[in-house]
Amino acid sequence: MSAASPAADTPAATPDATPGRRFEPDLRSMTRINLRPIASPMPLGFFTIAIASVMTGCLQLGILDETARGAVALTVLPAFALQLLVSFLAFGARDVIAATLMGVFAGSWLPYSLIMLSGAADGLQVLGVFNLALLCFGALMTAVTRPKRALWLVLAVSLPRWAATGLAGVTGADWLTRTSGALGLLVALVAMYTAFALMLEDMRSEQVLPIGRSGPAHLAVEGDLSVQLRNLERQAGVRRTL
């Protein structure tokens, strides 16, 4: 029996390969990817949106007096930490859309609380411009969140509120402020329903209240494990570069 050629054990050299470079064999058969299941953080995120929206909405509607601004700000401030936690956990669950949306929501509560607490000059105008920027972000996000109907619905009802809040801050129109407050209560209702539906689904391991998933979001819940692991090697955290 003739001895095997050394070249047979290594990949063939390519035209642009650096001379003398040593190539490793295919490591896929020796590679293991470990996943850590976590509880869904989304109910916490949606309940946080609901509670914070109720507090800010009541202030804008005049249900709470203007002297309660500081107290409302202190009540809303924990929403920043809670939704930041939800965003962090969603990134760990490889859901970039949910993580990005919850992270931006978290970032919206912090400046609101700080400006209301400090009573900074022209604070409402600054918040108005900030909410108009959030409106632009939300309009872009609606294009990619449609399969995740729960996220899409909360985002869709948040868009007009951001628009009303932004215009109210820039123009100072009282009717826009009250409109924003009413829309805030609507956002709270939608977020509360979504959070409750997701909790029921998690507890019973089946959909109880309609959420309206479609496409990849539907397959992620109704499909088997092979669907979840499809293209795993190309996902962030597994591939070498983002």
Side-chain angles (χ1 to χ4, degrees):
M1 181 181 295
S2 61
S5 170
D9 298 328
T10 58
T14 57
D16 57 345
T18 303
R21 176 176 293 179
R22 180 175 179 273
F23 288 91
E24 296 289 342
D26 190 350
L27 300 178
R28 284 178 293 182
S29 62
M30 298 183 290
T31 301
R32 296 293 182 269
I33 298 174
N34 296 314
L35 302 178
R36 183 180 63 183
I38 63 172
S40 173
M42 298 310 295
L44 173 61
F46 287 127
F47 274 129
T48 302
I49 291 174
I51 294 171
S53 296
V54 166
M55 299 308 300
T56 56
C58 288
L59 181 63
Q60 290 174 313
L61 285 171
I63 298 175
L64 298 174
D65 194 77
E66 285 294 316
T67 56
R69 279 189 178 187
V72 171
L74 288 173
T75 305
V76 171
L77 187 57
F80 162 72
L82 290 175
Q83 290 205 269
L84 190 62
L85 173 63
V86 172
S87 177
F88 177 78
L89 293 174
F91 275 120
R94 300 177 296 122
D95 193 334
V96 66
I97 294 177
T100 301
L101 189 60
M102 287 296 166
V104 171
F105 267 110
S108 69
W109 301 124
L110 183 59
Y112 174 86
S113 299
L114 294 179
I115 288 177
M116 288 298 182
L117 280 173
S118 65
D122 297 324
L124 293 180
Q125 290 184 349
V126 171
L127 285 177
V129 175
F130 180 72
N131 276 274
L132 292 177
L134 283 177
L135 177 64
C136 296
F137 159 79
L140 294 174
M141 286 294 290
T142 53
V144 296
T145 57
R146 187 174 293 274
K148 296 175 175 290
R149 200 58 58 90
L151 281 174
W152 181 86
L153 188 58
V154 173
L155 188 58
V157 295
S158 296
L159 291 179
R161 194 201 182 187
W162 285 334
T165 304
L167 293 174
V170 172
T171 64
D174 185 64
W175 70 272
L176 282 172
T177 300
R178 296 187 181 278
T179 300
S180 175
L183 290 171
L185 297 184
L186 177 61
V187 170
L189 287 174
V190 173
M192 194 79 71
Y193 168 83
T194 304
F196 184 62
L198 290 175
M199 289 188 70
L200 281 179
E201 180 181 82
D202 187 74
M203 291 173 60
R204 301 187 183 181
S205 299
E206 62 179 1
Q207 181 173 290
V208 180
L209 297 175
I211 298 178
R213 292 188 184 93
S214 62
H218 176 74
L219 290 176
V221 176
E222 302 296 336
D224 56 23
L225 187 60
S226 63
V227 175
Q228 301 301 298
L229 301 180
R230 187 179 301 163
N231 295 325
L232 182 62
E233 69 273 15
R234 296 181 178 86
Q235 295 184 8
V238 178
R239 62 179 188 263
R240 175 175 293 180
T241 177
L242 297 178

